[in-house]
Amino acid sequence: MKCLVQAVVVIVIAALLGVAMTWNPLKLLGVAAVVVLGSACFSCLSITIAGIVLNRDRLMGFGQAITMPLFFGSNALCPLSVMPGRLQAVSKANPLSYQVDARRGLLLGTPAHLALDFAVLLVAAALGIAAASSLILVRNVMCGTWPNSAAGPESGFLLPTA
């Protein structure tokens, strides 16, 4: 999976830069699980948006319009305790905050709520998978390609290039 390769590259670069991290194999497996859950959540969000907007340019616009607030509304840049009250509420509803919290806790040993982090990421990934899967099913039924299992260019699911 690409997400795991990227995570390994970031961890190796951080180690080369002298960041003090744990090398506990169980914690590294936990980091891998967090990365996969976060990737599933946000990949399915992108697939769902792509199935709704049906245009690559719109997808890129919606993607940026969603990605930036998710990032800046998370605890990736500053701790939750120093955020204004409204931004704290946004951060608590943001799956990215739980991913950041879990990775910091596992790699750096900062205080984390790992059970809550994993639970939120599992629910977010499951909801994302359900939304993307149901959209794919609906689009295949609407395009008359159901029960074909392959969603290729002939199924009408892929975004138009024109």
Side-chain angles (χ1 to χ4, degrees), residues 36-49 66-67 70 94-97 99 121 124-125 128:
V36 168
L37 286 172
S39 296
C41 172
F42 293 111
S43 295
C44 288
L45 175 64
S46 180
I47 290 170
T48 303
I49 294 169
I66 291 173
T67 302
L70 280 174
N94 186 348
L96 183 59
S97 293
Q99 186 179 19
L121 289 171

PDB file of all heavy atoms in Angstrom, residues 36-49 66-67 70 94-97 99 121 124-125 128:
ATOM      1  N   VAL A  36      -3.298   3.060   7.771  1.00  0.00           N
ATOM      2  CA  VAL A  36      -4.215   2.362   6.860  1.00  0.00           C
ATOM      3  C   VAL A  36      -5.665   2.805   7.106  1.00  0.00           C
ATOM      4  O   VAL A  36      -6.415   3.057   6.156  1.00  0.00           O
ATOM      5  CB  VAL A  36      -4.064   0.829   6.991  1.00  0.00           C
ATOM      6  CG1 VAL A  36      -5.184   0.095   6.289  1.00  0.00           C
ATOM      7  CG2 VAL A  36      -2.712   0.387   6.447  1.00  0.00           C
ATOM      8  N   LEU A  37      -6.063   2.924   8.371  1.00  0.00           N
ATOM      9  CA  LEU A  37      -7.428   3.372   8.676  1.00  0.00           C
ATOM     10  C   LEU A  37      -7.668   4.799   8.181  1.00  0.00           C
ATOM     11  O   LEU A  37      -8.711   5.096   7.594  1.00  0.00           O
ATOM     12  CB  LEU A  37      -7.696   3.286  10.176  1.00  0.00           C
ATOM     13  CG  LEU A  37      -7.892   1.901  10.749  1.00  0.00           C
ATOM     14  CD1 LEU A  37      -7.947   1.955  12.276  1.00  0.00           C
ATOM     15  CD2 LEU A  37      -9.147   1.264  10.193  1.00  0.00           C
ATOM     16  N   GLY A  38      -6.713   5.677   8.417  1.00  0.00           N
ATOM     17  CA  GLY A  38      -6.852   7.049   7.941  1.00  0.00           C
ATOM     18  C   GLY A  38      -6.900   7.115   6.423  1.00  0.00           C
ATOM     19  O   GLY A  38      -7.694   7.860   5.844  1.00  0.00           O
ATOM     20  N   SER A  39      -6.067   6.314   5.775  1.00  0.00           N
ATOM     21  CA  SER A  39      -6.066   6.285   4.311  1.00  0.00           C
ATOM     22  C   SER A  39      -7.385   5.758   3.771  1.00  0.00           C
ATOM     23  O   SER A  39      -7.901   6.281   2.777  1.00  0.00           O
ATOM     24  CB  SER A  39      -4.915   5.416   3.803  1.00  0.00           C
ATOM     25  OG  SER A  39      -3.686   5.981   4.165  1.00  0.00           O
ATOM     26  N   ALA A  40      -7.932   4.740   4.410  1.00  0.00           N
ATOM     27  CA  ALA A  40      -9.227   4.202   3.970  1.00  0.00           C
ATOM     28  C   ALA A  40     -10.315   5.259   4.104  1.00  0.00           C
ATOM     29  O   ALA A  40     -11.125   5.454   3.192  1.00  0.00           O
ATOM     30  CB  ALA A  40      -9.587   2.961   4.789  1.00  0.00           C
ATOM     31  N   CYS A  41     -10.312   5.962   5.208  1.00  0.00           N
ATOM     32  CA  CYS A  41     -11.323   7.004   5.448  1.00  0.00           C
ATOM     33  C   CYS A  41     -11.252   8.089   4.383  1.00  0.00           C
ATOM     34  O   CYS A  41     -12.249   8.414   3.738  1.00  0.00           O
ATOM     35  CB  CYS A  41     -11.105   7.599   6.838  1.00  0.00           C
ATOM     36  SG  CYS A  41     -12.108   9.049   7.193  1.00  0.00           S
ATOM     37  N   PHE A  42     -10.070   8.637   4.170  1.00  0.00           N
ATOM     38  CA  PHE A  42      -9.951   9.773   3.261  1.00  0.00           C
ATOM     39  C   PHE A  42      -9.974   9.355   1.792  1.00  0.00           C
ATOM     40  O   PHE A  42     -10.435  10.126   0.943  1.00  0.00           O
ATOM     41  CB  PHE A  42      -8.722  10.604   3.618  1.00  0.00           C
ATOM     42  CG  PHE A  42      -8.866  11.269   4.954  1.00  0.00           C
ATOM     43  CD1 PHE A  42      -8.098  10.878   6.033  1.00  0.00           C
ATOM     44  CD2 PHE A  42      -9.811  12.259   5.153  1.00  0.00           C
ATOM     45  CE1 PHE A  42      -8.250  11.471   7.274  1.00  0.00           C
ATOM     46  CE2 PHE A  42      -9.978  12.863   6.394  1.00  0.00           C
ATOM     47  CZ  PHE A  42      -9.195  12.471   7.449  1.00  0.00           C
ATOM     48  N   SER A  43      -9.532   8.157   1.480  1.00  0.00           N
ATOM     49  CA  SER A  43      -9.651   7.665   0.095  1.00  0.00           C
ATOM     50  C   SER A  43     -11.117   7.465  -0.269  1.00  0.00           C
ATOM     51  O   SER A  43     -11.546   7.823  -1.372  1.00  0.00           O
ATOM     52  CB  SER A  43      -8.906   6.342  -0.070  1.00  0.00           C
ATOM     53  OG  SER A  43      -7.540   6.523   0.125  1.00  0.00           O
ATOM     54  N   CYS A  44     -11.865   6.886   0.641  1.00  0.00           N
ATOM     55  CA  CYS A  44     -13.293   6.676   0.378  1.00  0.00           C
ATOM     56  C   CYS A  44     -14.049   7.999   0.319  1.00  0.00           C
ATOM     57  O   CYS A  44     -15.006   8.131  -0.447  1.00  0.00           O
ATOM     58  CB  CYS A  44     -13.894   5.743   1.420  1.00  0.00           C
ATOM     59  SG  CYS A  44     -13.340   4.044   1.195  1.00  0.00           S
ATOM     60  N   LEU A  45     -13.615   8.984   1.094  1.00  0.00           N
ATOM     61  CA  LEU A  45     -14.212  10.313   0.987  1.00  0.00           C
ATOM     62  C   LEU A  45     -14.004  10.866  -0.423  1.00  0.00           C
ATOM     63  O   LEU A  45     -14.925  11.387  -1.049  1.00  0.00           O
ATOM     64  CB  LEU A  45     -13.600  11.254   2.026  1.00  0.00           C
ATOM     65  CG  LEU A  45     -14.042  12.718   1.967  1.00  0.00           C
ATOM     66  CD1 LEU A  45     -15.528  12.852   2.249  1.00  0.00           C
ATOM     67  CD2 LEU A  45     -13.228  13.550   2.931  1.00  0.00           C
ATOM     68  N   SER A  46     -12.803  10.690  -0.947  1.00  0.00           N
ATOM     69  CA  SER A  46     -12.499  11.160  -2.302  1.00  0.00           C
ATOM     70  C   SER A  46     -13.312  10.405  -3.349  1.00  0.00           C
ATOM     71  O   SER A  46     -13.832  11.000  -4.294  1.00  0.00           O
ATOM     72  CB  SER A  46     -11.005  11.003  -2.572  1.00  0.00           C
ATOM     73  OG  SER A  46     -10.693  11.448  -3.858  1.00  0.00           O
ATOM     74  N   ILE A  47     -13.435   9.090  -3.178  1.00  0.00           N
ATOM     75  CA  ILE A  47     -14.226   8.289  -4.122  1.00  0.00           C
ATOM     76  C   ILE A  47     -15.692   8.728  -4.091  1.00  0.00           C
ATOM     77  O   ILE A  47     -16.345   8.840  -5.133  1.00  0.00           O
ATOM     78  CB  ILE A  47     -14.090   6.785  -3.805  1.00  0.00           C
ATOM     79  CG1 ILE A  47     -12.680   6.310  -4.140  1.00  0.00           C
ATOM     80  CG2 ILE A  47     -15.124   5.965  -4.560  1.00  0.00           C
ATOM     81  CD1 ILE A  47     -12.356   4.918  -3.640  1.00  0.00           C
ATOM     82  N   THR A  48     -16.204   8.979  -2.903  1.00  0.00           N
ATOM     83  CA  THR A  48     -17.597   9.413  -2.778  1.00  0.00           C
ATOM     84  C   THR A  48     -17.813  10.759  -3.458  1.00  0.00           C
ATOM     85  O   THR A  48     -18.780  10.944  -4.204  1.00  0.00           O
ATOM     86  CB  THR A  48     -17.990   9.495  -1.287  1.00  0.00           C
ATOM     87  OG1 THR A  48     -17.772   8.216  -0.685  1.00  0.00           O
ATOM     88  CG2 THR A  48     -19.435   9.905  -1.122  1.00  0.00           C
ATOM     89  N   ILE A  49     -16.906  11.687  -3.229  1.00  0.00           N
ATOM     90  CA  ILE A  49     -17.023  12.997  -3.879  1.00  0.00           C
ATOM     91  C   ILE A  49     -16.920  12.848  -5.393  1.00  0.00           C
ATOM     92  O   ILE A  49     -17.681  13.461  -6.143  1.00  0.00           O
ATOM     93  CB  ILE A  49     -15.958  13.969  -3.340  1.00  0.00           C
ATOM     94  CG1 ILE A  49     -16.225  14.265  -1.869  1.00  0.00           C
ATOM     95  CG2 ILE A  49     -15.937  15.259  -4.156  1.00  0.00           C
ATOM     96  CD1 ILE A  49     -15.090  14.986  -1.175  1.00  0.00           C
ATOM     97  N   ILE A  66     -12.168  20.731   0.808  1.00  0.00           N
ATOM     98  CA  ILE A  66     -12.367  19.887   1.989  1.00  0.00           C
ATOM     99  C   ILE A  66     -11.047  19.622   2.712  1.00  0.00           C
ATOM    100  O   ILE A  66     -10.983  19.633   3.942  1.00  0.00           O
ATOM    101  CB  ILE A  66     -13.052  18.564   1.586  1.00  0.00           C
ATOM    102  CG1 ILE A  66     -14.491  18.851   1.166  1.00  0.00           C
ATOM    103  CG2 ILE A  66     -13.007  17.549   2.712  1.00  0.00           C
ATOM    104  CD1 ILE A  66     -15.204  17.666   0.585  1.00  0.00           C
ATOM    105  N   THR A  67      -9.973  19.394   1.957  1.00  0.00           N
ATOM    106  CA  THR A  67      -8.686  19.024   2.550  1.00  0.00           C
ATOM    107  C   THR A  67      -8.115  20.136   3.428  1.00  0.00           C
ATOM    108  O   THR A  67      -7.651  19.866   4.539  1.00  0.00           O
ATOM    109  CB  THR A  67      -7.677  18.657   1.454  1.00  0.00           C
ATOM    110  OG1 THR A  67      -8.207  17.581   0.687  1.00  0.00           O
ATOM    111  CG2 THR A  67      -6.346  18.244   2.043  1.00  0.00           C
ATOM    112  N   LEU A  70      -9.961  20.479   6.718  1.00  0.00           N
ATOM    113  CA  LEU A  70      -9.699  19.305   7.554  1.00  0.00           C
ATOM    114  C   LEU A  70      -8.326  19.401   8.198  1.00  0.00           C
ATOM    115  O   LEU A  70      -8.149  19.094   9.379  1.00  0.00           O
ATOM    116  CB  LEU A  70      -9.794  18.023   6.731  1.00  0.00           C
ATOM    117  CG  LEU A  70     -11.188  17.483   6.466  1.00  0.00           C
ATOM    118  CD1 LEU A  70     -11.122  16.296   5.515  1.00  0.00           C
ATOM    119  CD2 LEU A  70     -11.868  17.080   7.753  1.00  0.00           C
ATOM    120  N   ASN A  94     -13.216  15.890  13.716  1.00  0.00           N
ATOM    121  CA  ASN A  94     -12.351  15.679  12.565  1.00  0.00           C
ATOM    122  C   ASN A  94     -11.550  14.382  12.728  1.00  0.00           C
ATOM    123  O   ASN A  94     -10.713  14.282  13.629  1.00  0.00           O
ATOM    124  CB  ASN A  94     -11.416  16.882  12.448  1.00  0.00           C
ATOM    125  CG  ASN A  94     -10.565  16.879  11.213  1.00  0.00           C
ATOM    126  OD1 ASN A  94     -10.472  15.884  10.513  1.00  0.00           O
ATOM    127  ND2 ASN A  94      -9.930  18.004  10.950  1.00  0.00           N
ATOM    128  N   PRO A  95     -11.727  13.391  11.841  1.00  0.00           N
ATOM    129  CA  PRO A  95     -10.966  12.141  11.958  1.00  0.00           C
ATOM    130  C   PRO A  95      -9.454  12.343  11.878  1.00  0.00           C
ATOM    131  O   PRO A  95      -8.697  11.586  12.473  1.00  0.00           O
ATOM    132  CB  PRO A  95     -11.451  11.296  10.781  1.00  0.00           C
ATOM    133  CG  PRO A  95     -12.716  11.906  10.329  1.00  0.00           C
ATOM    134  CD  PRO A  95     -12.687  13.340  10.738  1.00  0.00           C
ATOM    135  N   LEU A  96      -9.021  13.385  11.177  1.00  0.00           N
ATOM    136  CA  LEU A  96      -7.581  13.636  11.069  1.00  0.00           C
ATOM    137  C   LEU A  96      -6.967  13.929  12.432  1.00  0.00           C
ATOM    138  O   LEU A  96      -5.836  13.536  12.705  1.00  0.00           O
ATOM    139  CB  LEU A  96      -7.316  14.783  10.090  1.00  0.00           C
ATOM    140  CG  LEU A  96      -5.854  15.119   9.812  1.00  0.00           C
ATOM    141  CD1 LEU A  96      -5.120  13.909   9.244  1.00  0.00           C
ATOM    142  CD2 LEU A  96      -5.752  16.293   8.869  1.00  0.00           C
ATOM    143  N   SER A  97      -7.701  14.589  13.312  1.00  0.00           N
ATOM    144  CA  SER A  97      -7.192  14.875  14.657  1.00  0.00           C
ATOM    145  C   SER A  97      -6.902  13.585  15.420  1.00  0.00           C
ATOM    146  O   SER A  97      -5.904  13.486  16.132  1.00  0.00           O
ATOM    147  CB  SER A  97      -8.203  15.707  15.445  1.00  0.00           C
ATOM    148  OG  SER A  97      -8.339  16.983  14.887  1.00  0.00           O
ATOM    149  N   GLN A  99      -6.208  10.685  14.060  1.00  0.00           N
ATOM    150  CA  GLN A  99      -5.065  10.040  13.419  1.00  0.00           C
ATOM    151  C   GLN A  99      -3.763  10.678  13.911  1.00  0.00           C
ATOM    152  O   GLN A  99      -2.811   9.973  14.254  1.00  0.00           O
ATOM    153  CB  GLN A  99      -5.192  10.152  11.900  1.00  0.00           C
ATOM    154  CG  GLN A  99      -4.133   9.382  11.159  1.00  0.00           C
ATOM    155  CD  GLN A  99      -4.288   9.493   9.648  1.00  0.00           C
ATOM    156  OE1 GLN A  99      -4.943  10.389   9.145  1.00  0.00           O
ATOM    157  NE2 GLN A  99      -3.672   8.580   8.940  1.00  0.00           N
ATOM    158  N   LEU A 121     -11.343   6.249  14.224  1.00  0.00           N
ATOM    159  CA  LEU A 121     -10.812   5.933  12.890  1.00  0.00           C
ATOM    160  C   LEU A 121     -11.509   4.719  12.286  1.00  0.00           C
ATOM    161  O   LEU A 121     -11.779   4.694  11.081  1.00  0.00           O
ATOM    162  CB  LEU A 121      -9.302   5.730  12.951  1.00  0.00           C
ATOM    163  CG  LEU A 121      -8.495   6.998  13.193  1.00  0.00           C
ATOM    164  CD1 LEU A 121      -7.028   6.661  13.450  1.00  0.00           C
ATOM    165  CD2 LEU A 121      -8.636   7.955  12.023  1.00  0.00           C
ATOM    166  N   ALA A 124     -14.955   5.986  11.204  1.00  0.00           N
ATOM    167  CA  ALA A 124     -14.822   6.863  10.040  1.00  0.00           C
ATOM    168  C   ALA A 124     -14.484   6.056   8.782  1.00  0.00           C
ATOM    169  O   ALA A 124     -15.048   6.312   7.708  1.00  0.00           O
ATOM    170  CB  ALA A 124     -13.754   7.927  10.292  1.00  0.00           C
ATOM    171  N   ALA A 125     -13.584   5.077   8.908  1.00  0.00           N
ATOM    172  CA  ALA A 125     -13.240   4.242   7.753  1.00  0.00           C
ATOM    173  C   ALA A 125     -14.442   3.397   7.323  1.00  0.00           C
ATOM    174  O   ALA A 125     -14.715   3.282   6.124  1.00  0.00           O
ATOM    175  CB  ALA A 125     -12.047   3.343   8.090  1.00  0.00           C
ATOM    176  N   GLY A 128     -16.883   5.649   5.575  1.00  0.00           N
ATOM    177  CA  GLY A 128     -16.359   6.002   4.261  1.00  0.00           C
ATOM    178  C   GLY A 128     -16.484   4.860   3.269  1.00  0.00           C
ATOM    179  O   GLY A 128     -16.892   5.061   2.117  1.00  0.00           O
TER     180      GLY A 128
END
